Amino acid sequence: MRSRRKFEGRQPVSEQREQIGASRRTFLVGGLSAGAGLAGATMLGGSGTAVASQSTELAAAAAPPPDTRKITLTVNGQARTTDVDTRASLLDVLRERIGLTGTKKGCNQGACGACTILVDGDRTLACLTLAARYEQREITTIEGLAEGNRLHPVQQAFIERDGFQCGFCTSGQIVSAVGLLNERPDVPDAEIPELMSGNLCRCAAYPNITAAIRDARGEG
Amino acid sequence: MEFYRPTSWREALEIRAAQPDALPITGGTDVMVELNFDRARPAALLDLTGVPEITGWSEREGQIQIGASMSYTAIIAELADRLPCLALAARTVGSPQIRNRGTAAGNLGAGSPAGDSHPPLLATGAKVHLESVRGSRELSIDQFYLGVKRTALEPDELIRSIEVPAARGPQQFAKIGTRNAMVIAVCSFAIALDAGSRTVGTGLGSAAPTPRQATDAQDFLAEALPWADRDPLAEELANRFGELVAAAAVPIDDVRGSARYRRHALAVLARRTLGWAWEEYRCA
């Protein structure tokens, strides 16, 4: 409509604006009154049959709410109770329900390692984990490694060795390295790359990452 | 979506019988990808990680029972001496994070021809124990695979365990991927020599709609190997074995590799793994 009018060029610009403005107001008012009608019908307990059936149809067209489940997770030593969609991954629950966004979502299919967390000390991918199955397990995320202002030795080593560039994979790299050093406190240099193979770094900071792990080895 | 978390095997079977469209989940390394990308919307999930009867492994009369929820990490740590081939394959699965959660039974349930567990299970003549509220049955591994992501598992059945004979001779596994970690096999191959019965087992992965054995190659090798004299491996014998393995494959062209490449690579893997296994046999 607007572009056609523009090409016709018969009306003054101010008048066009006025018309568009008016039609917008009309729409808003109309929309509001329709909404009020529906709300009114619901509150009055279906006094107008036509309106009531319309509202039922609307409800049927919308997807049913997902099944939720109240779960209590132990994250970094703290109990967190939250209502979660039963299909929700632990990654989404950590980031979106609990608000711990240090754990990153890279590929969401278990290939990149950015969402690595520790479950009872085992390196685990939060994206491949249903939150609802991890009650009564000890979950550790990147936020749980430092003690107050004192960084975990692996975090400190990553800073000193510059074990990152863009930083997106870093929290997963650090948590994975902490898990690796739990598994193999004396891991030989040659085995570090293979044992860190679940964590991709697209900036290719690998030499610095492995150097940081060598430094942190034996300090945990 | 319903979410069930039974705490006993009996309860798991009852839920499975009552709701056959509930998707069993143990490691979640396949199932969660389907959910995250909305490729599957199962009516319900049946989480088996709370079932104590299917964790760990046991041994009886030279047969190892691997519980359905035993992780690859545990297989590598605890069974590398008894089941070297399966442990070798387990080491090539995904990454440490994936191996901490993924299971061999999950590989069977998913039924992908590229699963890393299949070649060793075929080469060693494993059996799958299936159970439902109706009872239990045992299938030899080659009867379990029906097609791409199709298996003999009935809608009310669950995989309880996988039975693998403890190694009776050298075993090897090799896999081709675009790099060392986090790859789905372009193709893979397993070989198991049985020094007692002087027989050979093989398993091919990513080589046909289902994982499969190369039976002609097995028969040829069992007959032709100089078991008693322990002579060095003759080149013609290794080449013929490679040809017969490649002939057993019915590969496809896909994003990971061409059918022609896969046939070629399988012959190479077959010759190489045979060489390693035979050297081990000769020096034993």
Side-chain angles (χ1 to χ4, degrees):
Chain A
M1 281 295 271
R2 279 168 85 179
S3 60
R4 189 170 56 83
R5 272 192 197 138
K6 192 177 155 195
F7 286 113
E8 282 170 356
R10 296 239 169 101
Q11 280 173 301
V13 174
S14 62
E15 230 184 284
Q16 286 178 29
R17 282 211 184 111
E18 185 58 32
Q19 281 182 350
I20 292 162
S23 68
R24 221 176 250 161
R25 272 196 300 276
T26 316
F27 171 77
L28 276 172
V29 170
L32 278 173
S33 64
L38 277 178
T42 313
M43 282 193 293
L44 290 169
S47 63
T49 326
V51 180
S53 75
Q54 190 190 348
S55 100
T56 316
E57 272 167 32
L58 280 174
D67 289 324
T68 61
R69 190 183 171 101
K70 194 182 274 290
I71 62 166
T72 301
L73 297 171
T74 309
V75 184
N76 302 326
Q78 264 188 294
R80 310 273 198 149
T81 302
T82 178
D83 243 353
V84 300
D85 182 338
T86 49
R87 293 165 298 182
S89 68
L90 184 53
L91 177 60
D92 285 340
V93 171
L94 286 171
R95 290 180 56 85
E96 283 156 33
R97 307 297 300 210
I98 297 177
L100 293 174
T101 53
T103 308
K104 301 302 180 196
K105 184 185 276 190
C107 66
N108 210 24
Q109 56 179 311
C112 77
C115 67
T116 302
I117 54 163
L118 302 178
V119 176
D120 296 336
D122 284 345
R123 290 187 272 173
T124 301
L125 297 172
C127 76
L128 295 187
T129 303
L130 272 184
R133 335 160 57 178
Y134 279 73
E135 290 194 278
Q136 289 139 20
R137 309 287 293 271
E138 196 69 45
I139 295 161
T140 307
T141 70
I142 185 77
E143 290 92 343
L145 294 181
E147 284 176 35
N149 286 330
R150 199 161 63 87
L151 292 180
H152 187 283
V154 174
Q155 288 175 307
Q156 191 61 46
F158 265 69
I159 291 171
E160 281 163 18
R161 287 290 188 166
D162 216 7
F164 41 76
Q165 190 171 318
C166 82
F168 192 83
C169 72
T170 309
S171 45
Q173 298 280 0
I174 289 174
V175 175
S176 187
V178 170
L180 161 59
L181 292 174
N182 286 343
E183 294 158 24
R184 302 277 302 275
D186 54 350
V187 59
D189 292 359
E191 288 183 36
I192 293 174
E194 161 60 23
L195 291 170
M196 286 295 291
S197 61
N199 292 82
L200 301 187
C201 171
R202 293 292 81 177
C203 308
Y206 297 113
N208 298 7
I209 292 169
T210 47
I213 296 171
R214 286 200 301 270
D215 285 358
R217 181 176 49 195
E219 285 184 34
Chain B
M1 186 186 70
E2 285 292 325
F3 178 74
Y4 300 104
R5 192 158 202 277
T7 52
S8 73
W9 181 244
R10 185 71 216 168
E11 194 191 341
L13 292 180
E14 281 164 6
I15 295 168
R16 178 78 163 152
Q19 188 159 1
D21 56 359
L23 185 62
I25 177 170
T26 44
T29 55
D30 279 323
V31 172
M32 286 300 290
V33 176
E34 301 282 296
L35 295 184
N36 288 352
F37 287 84
D38 210 11
R39 286 184 206 137
R41 291 188 181 187
L45 283 179
L46 176 54
D47 176 11
L48 298 172
T49 52
V51 176
E53 293 94 329
I54 57 170
T55 58
W57 59 279
S58 61
E59 183 169 15
R60 208 184 51 185
E61 291 165 10
Q63 302 289 318
I64 315 292
Q65 299 285 346
I66 302 170
S69 65
M70 186 177 186
S71 70
Y72 289 115
T73 298
I75 289 174
I76 296 164
E78 298 168 32
L79 290 172
D81 54 344
R82 293 172 180 81
L83 308 178
C85 197
L86 185 60
L88 279 170
R91 285 194 190 97
T92 75
V93 172
S95 63
Q97 287 95 320
I98 300 285
R99 295 194 285 271
N100 278 345
R101 288 289 170 264
T103 65
N107 243 184
L108 292 185
S112 159
D116 294 312
S117 312
H118 308 312
L121 295 178
L122 284 162
T124 54
K127 291 176 189 144
V128 192
H129 289 273
L130 306 173
E131 274 187 43
S132 70
V133 288
R134 295 176 288 120
S136 62
R137 63 184 177 129
E138 189 183 280
L139 276 185
S140 84
I141 187 79
D142 57 314
Q143 293 176 304
F144 183 77
Y145 311 109
L146 299 183
V148 177
K149 302 194 175 180
R150 282 195 307 118
T151 70
L153 196 68
E154 295 289 341
D156 64 342
E157 281 180 325
L158 291 171
I159 300 169
R160 174 155 188 162
S161 62
I162 305 169
E163 181 180 316
V164 190
R168 291 182 290 248
Q171 300 182 347
Q172 285 293 342
F173 172 82
K175 163 177 167 181
I176 298 224
T178 44
R179 60 196 185 104
N180 275 342
M182 287 306 311
V183 286
I184 300 174
V186 174
C187 61
S188 57
F189 182 75
I191 185 169
L193 303 183
D194 188 328
S197 64
R198 296 187 173 175
T199 53
V200 177
T202 60
L204 283 65
S206 293
T210 65
R212 57 166 59 187
Q213 293 162 328
T215 44
D216 289 347
Q218 294 173 182
D219 295 345
F220 161 76
L221 203 56
E223 191 65 33
L225 279 174
W227 296 96
D229 300 335
R230 298 178 187 252
D231 294 334
L233 191 66
E235 199 181 325
E236 318 81 76
L237 192 152
N239 287 342
R240 182 68 190 135
F241 178 61
E243 283 167 19
L244 288 170
V245 167
V250 195
I252 55 167
D253 293 324
D254 69 8
V255 288
R256 298 199 300 278
S258 67
R260 190 161 161 265
Y261 175 75
R262 285 186 158 108
R263 266 194 213 95
H264 169 76
L266 280 164
V268 175
L269 294 183
R271 291 200 302 266
R272 259 184 221 170
T273 52
L274 170 61
W276 298 331
W278 187 247
E279 272 313 294
E280 193 184 327
Y281 173 79
R282 290 183 63 222
C283 300

